[in-house]
Amino acid sequence: MIQTTAAVLREPKGPFTIEAITLDEPGPGEVVVRIAGVGLCHTDLLPRVAEGLPLPLVCGHEGSGAVVAVGDGVTELEVGDHVVISFDSCGSCRSCESGRPAYCATFFPRNLSGRRVDGGTNAKDAAGEDVSARWFGQSTFAAVTVVTARNAVKVDKGLPLHLLGPLGCGFQTGAGAVLESLRVEPGSSIIVFGAGAVGLAA
Ligand SMILES: [Zn+2]
Ligand SMILES: [Zn+2]
C-alpha cells in the first residue's frame, strides 16, 4: 500500500479537502508519480456541478512529477524519470491506432468516470471507503498518485518540472486549437478571449 495525501471532493459544490488516502501498488502498465506541480482547469470543477460522478473523487488532470515506482510491463519509463501526465487512451482502438487518442473509443470511461474502465478504484480513505482516483487516468491533486504509463510523457530533467503540468491539457488544447482545428495561416488574425493556460498557448 502507498500512503499519501490528496485533495478529495466529497460532495457537489463542496471544497477540495486535504486527506490521507492509501493507494494500491501499481498494476501492469501503471507507474507511481510523486507530483511536483499541477494545473487547475475548468474540467477539474466539472465534478462540483455535474451529476452522477462517483464521489469521493480526487481531481487533477494535468500534472507533472517524478516516477518513483513502475508496474509490470512498463518499458518506456523508469524510476527517476520526469513526466508530464495527460489524458488516458487505450492504444488499440481505431482512433488510437490512427494517431488520434483524444477520440479513443473508451475516452469517457478512462477520463471522465473517475474510475478504471472496469469501474474499480485503487484508493481508499482513512475509514477504508473507496475513493475514485482515476480522473483522466491520473488524479494528480495528490502528493503521490498512480497513473497509466501510456499517458505519462517523459520530459527533459533540465526543465522546471513544477511548471510543466499544464502541457498535459491546457497548452495542447490552446496550441491544438490554433495549429490543428483552426489551421490559422500566416498573416491571418484571431482573437483569443481569456489568457489562462489555454489562451496563452493559443
Ligand atoms: Zn483541462
Ligand atoms: Zn483507444
Side-chain angles (χ1 to χ4, degrees):
M1 289 293 227
I2 301 163
Q3 312 278 343
T4 187
T5 52
V8 180
L9 179 70
R10 289 200 163 267
E11 55 192 51
K13 300 189 174 36
F16 297 115
T17 53
I18 305 297
E19 297 186 18
I21 63 169
T22 57
L23 303 170
D24 294 341
E25 297 293 335
E30 295 179 336
V31 298
V32 185
V33 179
R34 183 175 305 284
I35 298 301
V38 61
L40 174 65
C41 165
H42 78 285
T43 306
D44 293 309
L45 302 180
L46 193 64
R48 298 184 73 232
V49 295
E51 302 282 321
L53 281 159
L55 303 178
L57 167 71
V58 179
C59 294
H61 73 291
E62 47 177 33
S64 56
V67 174
V68 293
V70 301
D72 290 344
V74 175
T75 55
E76 300 196 348
L77 294 172
E78 56 188 38
V79 171
D81 282 344
H82 289 185
V83 292
V84 169
I85 312 155
S86 190
F87 60 86
D88 193 18
S89 57
C90 76
S92 58
C93 73
R94 202 165 135 190
S95 293
C96 284
E97 288 196 330
S98 59
R100 296 186 168 274
Y103 298 96
C104 177
T106 51
F107 184 90
F108 281 87
R110 285 177 184 279
N111 293 289
L112 288 154
S113 75
R115 297 291 183 113
R116 293 192 304 246
V117 175
D118 65 7
T121 184
N122 65 333
K124 295 211 183 298
D125 66 13
E129 300 296 323
D130 282 350
V131 175
S132 300
R134 236 7 203 277
W135 186 242
F136 282 73
Q138 55 177 287
S139 288
T140 34
F141 286 176
V144 172
T145 190
V146 177
V147 312
T148 42
R150 185 173 156 75
N151 58 327
V153 178
K154 185 154 63 171
V155 293
D156 191 320
K157 286 185 183 173
L159 297 170
L161 186 59
H162 64 294
L163 298 179
L164 300 183
L167 285 166
C169 176
F171 275 54
Q172 59 177 294
T173 302
V178 169
L179 299 172
E180 299 290 336
S181 301
L182 297 175
R183 296 191 187 278
V184 177
E185 295 177 354
S188 61
S189 302
I190 60 167
I191 299 176
V192 176
F193 292 96
V198 176
L200 289 169

